[in-house]
Amino acid sequence: MNSYLLKNAHLYINHQFENVDILIEDGMITKIEKNIESDVPTYDLKGKMVAHNFIDMHTHLREPGFEHKETIYSGTMSALYGGYGTVVAMANTLPCMDDLETIADFKKRVIKDGQVNTYTYSAITKDLKGKELVDMAHIVEEDIVLGFSDDGKGVQSDEMMDLAMQLASNIDSIIVAHCEDESELHGGCIHEGHYAKEHDLIGINSASEYKQVARDLEIVKHYQNRYHVCHISTKETVELLRQAKKDGLPVSGEASPHHLILTEENIKDCHPNYKMNPPLRSIEDHQALIDGLNDQTIKVIATDHAPHAREEKNKPIQDAPFGIIGIQHAFPLLYTYLVKKNLVKLETILDALTTGPAHVLRLEGDVKLGQKANLCIFDLDKEFVIEEDDIKSKSINTPFLGVKCYGKIVANIVNGKMTEMEEM
Ligand SMILES: [Zn+2]
Ligand SMILES: [Zn+2]
């Protein structure tokens, strides 16, 4: 059971590629060598790429409370088909993940329905209201909780964030920050750039993000706590993070595939599938994100997979909710738009999907002998089109429908169990 031999794999291991066979016995990786012989079922990969399956440290699973958008089952099924072996759910559910009871209930649901390894963040403040801290010291004891995040909202009060970071430092946990200074918001729906101007839409300025990042980094200097910036979208944020890392602070940051691939120039017909928070920014911001990925300032790519039902998104851009789905096609899109266009090396993308987030969250992200098999198999040359019918999410809010991609996921092995998406 769960024993098989993968012949002729192009394996990404220890930050480089090797042509090897991989033996998996009882779900464990027991041999990585050339020319392995065994009588277990054998798959000839004919040089297909194999890597540790991906870790998404920013997924909205929507359950409990918003099951019409997504459920733990449908969200983790999207992850499985996207080559992910691990996701971390955001706390903005209903009820909010802000107490032990809700978190215990989430854990029960994950055991029943989770298709990949599923963790969650706890909220930082009760109901994400920014007024009262959750019981961080007790919540951190739960093994399903990997950190604290009020994602969806920035923590506005300086005193509250100061207290949260101090506690995070005491309990050696991480603050995963959605940075958004509400005093800079004026009801905008897309970036405050020329598209907003031309279409008479209210813009969201860059300062709403980087001002709060700058504030937080000052607090980190004081407590030296683990701190991670969500969905970086502005060039100023990239520079702040670069400097903080130079200063030796224990900080990290993520970029999402849509910010790495699209800019405000790509928005079409004021369509709400181009509306996300933070918004698609300018060409200069996009270049700064690519540079940040290439110089290791940004070591994590996280999807911010944010499902919304059709009727919710089917509104004028001003009224539609923020966010797009993204976990199922993150890799093929990144491969097609960044690697094939020579903007970013394949190794950099793979690191940002595996060892990068693993390092931040203290998980395993590299392929090692003796560990449970968590591997994904890809056909980099296989061309396909993203079709609505193939989407595993309950929602279809993505600007990438109908887009031609390369880098199809052929199979995903999660904790030794293989799911085949394509005939091997
Ligand atoms: Zn967010
Ligand atoms: Zn989010």
Side-chain angles (χ1 to χ4, degrees):
M1 189 191 125
N2 287 343
S3 295
Y4 36 88
L5 176 61
L6 305 175
K7 294 288 282 182
N8 302 310
H10 188 53
L11 175 65
Y12 189 63
I13 179 168
N14 202 15
H15 309 288
Q16 57 196 16
F17 287 102
E18 286 179 25
N19 295 317
V20 289
D21 299 344
I22 307 163
L23 181 63
I24 292 152
E25 293 175 298
D26 291 330
M28 310 293 278
I29 302 174
T30 53
K31 249 187 207 178
I32 303 174
E33 284 166 22
K34 285 187 198 297
N35 307 315
I36 301 173
E37 299 292 334
S38 173
D39 49 15
V40 296
T42 298
Y43 299 85
D44 186 356
L45 301 189
K46 301 188 185 88
K48 287 190 188 73
M49 189 181 84
V50 178
H52 193 283
N53 54 24
F54 304 146
I55 298 166
D56 189 20
M57 60 180 292
H58 193 143
T59 317
H60 294 272
L61 291 178
R62 304 299 194 205
E63 181 180 346
F66 303 100
E67 286 87 348
H68 63 290
K69 299 174 194 270
E70 196 77 290
T71 60
I72 290 166
Y73 177 78
S74 64
T76 57
M77 200 63 176
S78 307
L80 180 70
Y81 274 70
Y84 286 80
T86 300
V87 299
V88 191
M90 284 303 176
N92 62 341
T93 47
L94 187 69
C96 175
M97 292 290 152
D98 62 7
D99 61 26
L100 290 166
E101 193 189 341
T102 312
I103 289 163
D105 173 65
F106 180 78
K107 189 171 172 176
K108 266 190 215 154
R109 293 168 186 252
V110 163
I111 291 166
K112 186 169 140 283
D113 289 334
Q115 304 298 303
V116 300
N117 298 303
T118 305
Y119 298 91
T120 187
Y121 298 108
S122 160
I124 299 170
T125 66
K126 283 273 183 193
D127 216 15
L128 313 181
K129 287 204 165 82
K131 303 285 183 217
E132 184 192 344
L133 279 190
V134 302
D135 183 1
M136 289 173 70
H138 282 104
I139 288 175
V140 78
E141 299 293 325
E142 295 297 317
D143 54 5
I144 201 166
V145 174
L146 292 188
F148 294 85
S149 179
D150 269 6
D151 184 56
K153 281 192 165 168
V155 176
Q156 301 305 307
S157 152
D158 301 351
E159 293 73 29
M160 192 56 66
M161 198 49 148
D162 190 281
L163 198 57
M165 296 244 215
Q166 187 183 0
L167 272 164
S169 168
N170 291 344
I171 59 177
D172 192 23
S173 191
I174 189 166
I175 296 286
V176 173
H178 168 117
C179 291
E180 189 173 26
D181 183 334
E182 289 171 9
S183 71
E184 293 286 348
L185 293 182
H186 314 284
C189 60
I190 59 168
H191 175 58
E192 188 181 76
H194 69 83
Y195 195 93
K197 212 173 279 171
E198 281 158 26
H199 295 83
D200 207 17
L201 295 166
I202 302 172
I204 300 171
N205 68 25
S206 298
S208 60
E209 175 178 301
Y210 70 74
K211 269 176 72 173
Q212 200 160 80
V213 175
R215 175 202 68 179
D216 288 357
L217 292 173
E218 284 303 315
I219 307 176
V220 176
K221 268 186 202 161
H222 192 74
Y223 297 113
Q224 296 289 321
N225 57 296
R226 294 162 63 204
Y227 174 81
H228 177 85
V229 189
C230 289
H231 41 52
I232 296 172
S233 72
T234 75
K235 56 183 190 295
E236 292 87 354
T237 305
V238 178
E239 191 47 43
L240 282 165
L241 185 63
R242 185 176 287 126
Q243 191 53 50
K245 288 188 150 195
K246 270 189 200 146
D247 295 343
L249 299 183
V251 294
S252 56
E254 73 193 28
S256 59
H258 45 276
H259 289 118
L260 288 166
I261 292 168
L262 303 173
T263 71
E264 60 173 341
E265 309 294 328
N266 299 104
I267 303 174
K268 283 194 200 90
D269 307 325
C270 295
H271 197 287
N273 280 350
Y274 295 91
K275 179 180 180 180
M276 58 287 279
N277 190 18
L280 300 174
R281 301 280 187 189
S282 69
I283 288 174
E284 297 80 55
D285 292 307
H286 174 258
Q287 187 59 49
L289 291 183
I290 298 291
D291 294 345
L293 197 59
N294 284 329
D295 75 7
Q296 309 267 303
T297 299
I298 298 169
K299 292 179 88 164
V300 176
I301 297 175
T303 68
D304 198 5
H305 177 81
H308 292 293
R310 281 163 218 244
E311 62 277 13
E312 294 168 325
K313 265 292 198 186
N314 193 13
K315 283 179 185 164
I317 194 163
Q318 300 91 321
D319 306 325
F322 289 102
I324 62 169
I325 59 168
I327 201 165
Q328 191 181 339
H329 297 106
F331 177 77
L333 286 166
L334 292 162
Y335 180 69
T336 305
Y337 282 88
L338 301 185
V339 179
K340 279 186 86 75
K341 292 186 176 176
N342 293 319
L343 293 173
V344 183
K345 279 178 13 188
L346 176 57
E347 290 89 333
T348 306
I349 298 291
L350 291 173
D351 287 345
L353 293 167
T354 58
T355 49
H359 182 74
V360 172
L361 297 172
R362 299 177 175 170
L363 300 170
E364 187 54 69
D366 204 356
V367 178
K368 287 197 184 111
L369 272 181
Q371 72 180 189
K372 268 189 215 162
N374 274 294
L375 300 168
C376 192
I377 304 170
F378 308 82
D379 188 340
L380 294 180
D381 300 321
K382 179 123 184 180
E383 187 184 307
F384 70 104
V385 175
I386 298 177
E387 309 264 21
E388 194 179 316
D389 287 351
D390 297 329
I391 288 180
K392 302 293 172 192
S393 173
K394 285 186 89 169
S395 298
I396 53 151
N397 51 312
T398 165
F400 296 111
L401 279 180
V403 163
K404 194 165 80 177
C405 282
Y406 296 86
K408 196 154 203 305
I409 288 131
V410 174
N412 191 356
I413 300 166
V414 178
N415 304 329
K417 183 181 165 217
M418 181 171 355
T419 305
E420 283 176 76
M421 290 89 187
E422 298 272 308
E423 196 71 40
M424 280 200 290

